Amino acid sequence: MFEEIGFIKNPIATGMIGGGKGSQIGYSHRNALARDGLFALKAGAFDINPENGRDFGVSINIDSDRCYADYQTLITEETKRNDGIKALIIATPNNTHYPIAKMALENGLHLICEKPLAITLQQAEDLQRLATEKQAVVGVMYGYSGYVMVEQMRQMVRNGDIGDVRIVNMQFAHGYHASEVEHDDAGTKWRVTPEISGGSYVLGDIGTHCFQMGQYVADLQVKKLLCIRQSFVESRAPLEDNAHILLKYKNGAVGSLWTSAVNLGSAHGFKLRVIGDKGSIEWWDEHPNQIIVADEDNMEKIYQHGHGYLHESAQYNRIGGGHPEGFFDSWANLYRRFGLHMAGIAEQFADGKRWFPSFNEGIEGVKFIEKCIASADNEQWVEFD
Amino acid sequence: MFEEIGFIKNPIATGMIGGGKGSQIGYSHRNALARDGLFALKAGAFDINPENGRDFGVSINIDSDRCYADYQTLITEETKRNDGIKALIIATPNNTHYPIAKMALENGLHLICEKPLAITLQQAEDLQRLATEKQAVVGVMYGYSGYVMVEQMRQMVRNGDIGDVRIVNMQFAHGYHASEVEHDDAGTKWRVTPEISGGSYVLGDIGTHCFQMGQYVADLQVKKLLCIRQSFVESRAPLEDNAHILLKYKNGAVGSLWTSAVNLGSAHGFKLRVIGDKGSIEWWDEHPNQIIVADEDNMEKIYQHGHGYLHESAQYNRIGGGHPEGFFDSWANLYRRFGLHMAGIAEQFADGKRWFPSFNEGIEGVKFIEKCIASADNEQWVEFD
Amino acid sequence: MFEEIGFIKNPIATGMIGGGKGSQIGYSHRNALARDGLFALKAGAFDINPENGRDFGVSINIDSDRCYADYQTLITEETKRNDGIKALIIATPNNTHYPIAKMALENGLHLICEKPLAITLQQAEDLQRLATEKQAVVGVMYGYSGYVMVEQMRQMVRNGDIGDVRIVNMQFAHGYHASEVEHDDAGTKWRVTPEISGGSYVLGDIGTHCFQMGQYVADLQVKKLLCIRQSFVESRAPLEDNAHILLKYKNGAVGSLWTSAVNLGSAHGFKLRVIGDKGSIEWWDEHPNQIIVADEDNMEKIYQHGHGYLHESAQYNRIGGGHPEGFFDSWANLYRRFGLHMAGIAEQFADGKRWFPSFNEGIEGVKFIEKCIASADNEQWVEFD
Amino acid sequence: MFEEIGFIKNPIATGMIGGGKGSQIGYSHRNALARDGLFALKAGAFDINPENGRDFGVSINIDSDRCYADYQTLITEETKRNDGIKALIIATPNNTHYPIAKMALENGLHLICEKPLAITLQQAEDLQRLATEKQAVVGVMYGYSGYVMVEQMRQMVRNGDIGDVRIVNMQFAHGYHASEVEHDDAGTKWRVTPEISGGSYVLGDIGTHCFQMGQYVADLQVKKLLCIRQSFVESRAPLEDNAHILLKYKNGAVGSLWTSAVNLGSAHGFKLRVIGDKGSIEWWDEHPNQIIVADEDNMEKIYQHGHGYLHESAQYNRIGGGHPEGFFDSWANLYRRFGLHMAGIAEQFADGKRWFPSFNEGIEGVKFIEKCIASADNEQWVEFD
């Protein structure tokens, strides 16, 4: 059951890079960190423009002298302070994740990093080595994986409720960028700019989310994959705004993954369906409190969050069945786990023993993108390992 | 658009009566108050058992000496302190709302009160007089009315998008209490105990929610109503666990309302459908980010929260379309409005100018229950005014 | 299982009154009668205008000399012939059902009559006496009751799968006539004309359908009812285009029924939900091949037609699961039963032993309308018996 | 609008090969041919066992002497008769389609053939040459393409309502054969037997249905495709019970197609989604009377069959909106077109001018299967032409 506890008297002092005025992802992080009293945002370099960053920080009650011009200054200055930050949130465009994370880890900070963890696999592995050395806790923000019903799916699969997994269908295909909206939208602009975003747009931006969740839930190892990708809005080339991937897993199962920003009519379209030889389970992030479970008779049943028939490990709903939990609750659940680990008290609480996305997911995500690009560019199957 | 602002440097010191260990409603209030930095929970009398209340308060980091044995002590002691609370949350069983609210108002506190505001209409009107005299801000916790899409419905109706309203269908009919669950569930137990709950169970517990929302959205005046009510679990008599109500509005429109705790298969079943001569709109709290809008051609369209085509006043989504907001976000939206008013800065912010449920809703809710009981007991239509 | 059999070598010669050019209901009857080889349409008086009627009859390959000017001539002439009709279909406006049916029964014909069977209860009872005397088979066209999944519901209720019935929610509320469409639509015109339609519009036109199905499935006896009705399109007064009814059953259960022609956004909205103390079942005619069944755990399961887990008596699907059956299949199922009885071979076939709507349903339907009108006009509860 | 007409006085005498006792597909054909009075079933070789075939024929009122032992005899004898059949329905296992069709065409018969038209592309093209020479009308039974709303989709795409097509998602993935059901089910048994079924199971059995519909609606030319296929029930190897296909079209659009018999929880799962640069449309065969249409604003609208806002060419609904049409109605619509052509009166009627599936579809279907197998077996992309 969900435990409402004041875990620690003094929340973990936390800083943030990026995520300034108008940033949806910035607000998501700030909202999540404040939910369980484990973190307190004390410092930030919120904007590439130092003045804007400071103004924004002050507007949300950060002390003016802890609003820094850039991440280097922030890390340098904060690590000098007695009350300096112990954890850093990275909410910047993709290409900056690596250098910021590297410096933060070198300076002994815990990290919560937006995905992708890095642009190249080597960078990601570098960070992992450094974090291990420094005993840092690192959370990678695959924020949808904190939903209660995703855990329920995972437990049902592990428990054999649907038998041996045969097919994994993953989809994250929205319709917001079917035309060249980046002209007027900075948040989309950098995502379709190779120098900032890396070698992909939708594969990295959203495809990794459904890939990660498929891996988390179905617990299979990819043997090889094939990808096609397109730039339907031509100016985005070589970055894709649509991609289809087929996967062969080591156990003989197969997967399909569709990711798109041009799927008009879809608000999100993040769906996961796992099919075994005894049943299937399907989840959809737009209505995240239900899963549809089918049995060998082909009958569909609707499982609802917050009900007693769920696996014990899926009993961490913050509010009872019927009342919907949402995006912020999923994030809060992950931040709770990050915080318990960073505070060194994870072992004392059920929530501290739960899984959270970290290097395995971060590295596999980067690898997934690399392999997809290689496959698409050469029109052939690519081994995953 | 949603504004992320640190409205005030020093959050409003707040106390809470009831809502102790394991209370879902208590957590909902505590979660909501912390979301926008406007409130800080500083004191509480969380449990009828003083020791349990203190233990719980301490467990969530309330100072031990501000965990009080009862509401009287809390109000008395806190009003003596320089840093004493300025606002009080009442999250206790129904029959205690009135005395607590009365004492709180007399001592100059702002209030956030669970519904029903009181047991009798006279009590509710008493409180209103007192609040006016003391210039206190009072929010009554019709917590579902903070959803963005409920505001969208309201604006569409006011804007004439569906023409003149003809029919209002209201429903809050769940299936959790189809058998005598109160044996093992204290939260249900008091709700079916007349001395604590007042003269009704589902009418007051959930029926008022859909009635209030129907009033808020359709903006009509009830002329008369007819109610039937049953105690399908017989031990609950005379309190009903199911009721159907028909309403005639002054403008010639009609309404139907169904509220139930024995509607097996329904997680919540809180639905509102408003039908005009040019269209209709329907909302369902289990999937609160969508409404279904129909036009004169009988065509249904799905409106999603967070999209640019919504009314300007429904553009206060905290997260973009596709990502679901949930129960806690609706509550947070209302607390934000309460807080801006209690801090005296409502006029400076768009959110401060928004509607919130207060005495009108509280009083109409109490009246609704009274009239329903009178009608059901006499098997006849009852005038509303 | 569905049996595909050529039941009889020589189909039952059949005539039709009404249902001429452009009549949806006429085509529905003609389509249904031809489905299982039990009937052959041989004669008709298809239109109030004899020439139009003849032209139409000839256009669908009826012999010109068996296209009659009116029902009297048809019955008179056909009963003289050796190869004359043995069964008559009545597809005319409401006020003519009684005289046509009376003459047909007096002349020894079997009948398939559109609902309502008559305008007054006395007429309906008259017809029943006559039919008994003449040993005529009479089907009353409650055409939705032939769906496989409706039978499944009925069997589940009878089998105790949902325990004792507590609540029956009935609804048939479409949105096609939200404005004065009768100006250009003869089929709607007569329905809102009291002299032709009788004392009601939607109550009789569609409300009786959901009432009949509620009775069929839930198998309860109405004790009393209360009705409100409105003419939202004012020119329809005194006939209603919207009505809400509350029902109290003799066993303590309660019902609600909503019928409307002004429910914009609804293509049909014919729904039935039956709630017991151990579960619930819901059916919707727009997607008639599924029912949603809930159990005591509040979990919803989707039952599909054509699956092996259904009750044996619901295994008469014409096509396997997944493939949808539709409106015409429901009608064909009923016509099959009518035909087996009229051919005197019902006992030899499983389908011949199935229920079909006849006098009980026809009479109860007429009574329902009468009681609703009486209640609405006097604003009070009316005893049903 | 739908025209109810007795097109011809004397229905086309028709024979059937296969489709005997208990055959779902046989009943589907027989039901469809009888719907509009265009065909009369007069002869058959219904079963591989002559005696069973005769018994069945007699049981459905076929003259005993026109129930033949095999297709050769049937064709030989019937073509000798003055009143012999003019059209033949082929409802046998796949490997027999070609020889039967060949002999039938050589003898001057019109044909209605189950898909696949043949096992090899060469066979299919042979049949086309022969039919052209003989001026025979040939319908290939892609039976889902007769739904009204599929026509609506097609017209919307052609009309540019969704702009240029970018993505076509095709799916026909049911869950009935997740285990080795063929042990007890002859209808599945032959489908998984290579000698009878040809080189594929689900690709040919159902995959071709969604491929054909994708082609029909989106009107694109396939450039190349890649396929993976599996035999999750191992005894089915080398025939697949699951396959995923990616397609690249000549105009730059891409497609994905998933076909499966092991998709537990799915009754049919036949879905088509077409996405353009200005909108999208989605259809699902289990609820075939609706399509979901999205516009550039990402808003979804539900179009219903039988409504005035549909394209004129989609106004051939047999029953009005709200009342569902089903599988049999789709088939009847195609049979109507077949019949009008075979009777030589197609030009006189709107329905006779409508498209129906014939050689183009039959040949493309066979080619699709061949290419899929080649791609899957070699793990590489295959050019389509």
Side-chain angles (χ1 to χ4, degrees), chain A residues 63-378:
Chain A
D63 284 352
S64 172
D65 63 345
R66 296 179 79 175
C67 293
Y68 300 95
D70 50 42
Y71 76 87
Q72 294 95 336
T73 317
L74 181 144
I75 296 173
T76 305
E77 295 303 316
E78 283 290 320
T79 48
K80 287 182 194 160
R81 296 175 69 115
N82 283 337
D83 65 348
I85 63 166
K86 298 290 179 250
L88 186 70
I89 298 166
I90 305 177
T92 54
N94 300 352
N95 64 331
T96 63
H97 294 181
Y98 174 70
I100 301 173
K102 188 158 180 284
M103 183 173 174
L105 288 171
E106 286 169 348
N107 282 275
L109 297 178
H110 298 300
L111 274 187
I112 296 166
C113 186
E114 262 307 310
K115 36 79 12 202
L117 178 56
I119 297 287
T120 71
L121 189 54
Q122 191 186 320
Q123 290 173 344
E125 288 169 348
D126 252 24
L127 295 178
Q128 185 175 32
R129 272 191 297 275
L130 198 51
T132 306
E133 184 189 318
K134 294 288 189 172
Q135 296 187 293
V137 175
V138 175
V140 181
M141 206 60 216
Y142 286 105
Y144 302 94
S145 49
Y147 278 114
V148 173
M149 295 309 276
V150 171
E151 172 66 11
Q152 172 68 14
M153 285 184 87
R154 172 171 156 107
Q155 290 304 329
M156 291 184 75
V157 173
R158 298 199 160 198
N159 202 44
D161 294 359
I162 61 165
D164 292 332
V165 173
R166 289 170 164 178
I167 304 169
V168 184
N169 291 342
M170 295 155 278
Q171 179 187 315
F172 197 152
H174 66 71
Y176 292 114
H177 301 158
S179 62
E180 212 169 344
V181 296
E182 49 266 36
H183 272 312
D184 307 313
D185 175 9
T188 307
K189 184 63 187 170
W190 72 254
R191 284 176 165 82
V192 298
T193 304
E195 296 70 31
I196 304 174
S197 183
S200 79
Y201 165 35
V202 289
L203 283 164
D205 192 42
I206 55 176
T208 49
H209 276 298
C210 57
F211 176 70
Q212 180 269 324
M213 196 177 287
Q215 292 294 93
Y216 173 62
V217 168
D219 209 23
L220 300 175
Q221 290 183 290
V222 180
K223 188 175 184 316
K224 48 184 170 179
L225 62 75
L226 180 135
C227 173
I228 57 174
R229 60 175 187 156
Q230 302 77 40
S231 311
F232 283 118
V233 175
E234 293 179 12
S235 57
R236 290 172 186 160
L239 299 198
E240 81 292 339
D241 48 22
N242 187 76
H244 288 85
I245 294 105
L246 298 178
L247 303 106
K248 297 185 177 183
Y249 295 100
K250 290 183 179 168
N251 75 336
V254 294
S256 69
L257 190 155
W258 176 36
T259 184
S260 186
V262 302
N263 179 24
L264 280 168
S266 168
H268 250 195
F270 181 178
K271 293 182 180 177
L272 176 64
R273 181 176 182 88
V274 184
I275 305 162
D277 61 1
K278 299 201 185 317
S280 69
I281 318 179
E282 182 162 328
W283 178 84
W284 180 15
D285 89 312
E286 297 178 37
H287 301 280
N289 299 294
Q290 290 78 34
I291 53 176
I292 301 175
V293 177
D295 63 16
E296 288 179 280
D297 277 344
N298 234 16
M299 187 187 284
E300 290 186 322
K301 299 166 193 176
I302 301 168
Y303 285 44
Q304 299 263 2
H305 99 288
H307 279 66
Y309 50 69
L310 301 179
H311 275 258
E312 198 193 341
S313 77
Q315 303 278 356
Y316 60 91
N317 52 293
R318 290 169 183 258
I319 189 74
H323 302 92
E325 298 193 357
F327 175 79
F328 293 120
D329 303 301
S330 176
W331 277 54
N333 291 340
L334 296 179
Y335 257 85
R336 187 175 176 102
R337 301 173 200 171
F338 299 156
L340 291 172
H341 280 273
M342 292 177 185
I345 55 175
E347 286 308 308
Q348 305 167 35
F349 300 97
D351 281 314
K353 292 166 196 157
R354 296 185 191 282
W355 169 94
F356 63 85
S358 183
F359 281 108
N360 284 345
E361 290 68 31
I363 287 172
E364 209 171 37
V366 172
K367 199 165 148 186
F368 169 75
I369 300 167
E370 281 193 359
K371 299 294 181 180
C372 284
I373 294 172
S375 171
D377 291 354
N378 298 296

Side-chain angles (χ1 to χ4, degrees), chain C residues 46-115:
Chain C
F46 297 106
D47 203 296
I48 193 91
N49 174 316
E51 199 163 336
N52 291 349
R54 185 172 317 267
D55 287 351
F56 175 72
V58 169
S59 83
I60 59 168
N61 289 332
I62 306 296
D63 284 352
S64 172
D65 64 345
R66 296 178 80 175
C67 293
Y68 300 95
D70 50 41
Y71 77 87
Q72 294 95 333
T73 318
L74 182 143
I75 295 173
T76 306
E77 295 302 318
E78 284 290 321
T79 48
K80 289 182 192 160
R81 296 175 69 115
N82 284 337
D83 65 348
I85 61 166
K86 300 288 178 248
L88 187 70
I89 298 165
I90 305 177
T92 53
N94 300 352
N95 64 332
T96 64
H97 294 181
Y98 174 69
I100 302 172
K102 188 157 180 286
M103 183 173 174
L105 289 171
E106 287 168 348
N107 283 275
L109 299 177
H110 299 299
L111 273 188
I112 296 166
C113 186
E114 262 308 310
K115 36 86 359 209

Side-chain angles (χ1 to χ4, degrees), chain A residues 23-74:
Chain A
S23 163
Q24 181 166 281
I25 214 75
Y27 175 66
S28 298
H29 282 279
R30 284 184 290 273
N31 180 82
L33 71 84
R35 284 289 287 278
D36 290 311
L38 283 158
F39 297 91
L41 186 63
K42 292 293 185 187
F46 296 106
D47 203 297
I48 193 92
N49 174 315
E51 200 163 336
N52 290 349
R54 184 173 316 266
D55 287 352
F56 175 73
V58 169
S59 82
I60 59 168
N61 289 334
I62 305 298
D63 284 352
S64 172
D65 63 345
R66 296 179 79 175
C67 293
Y68 300 95
D70 50 42
Y71 76 87
Q72 294 95 336
T73 317
L74 181 144

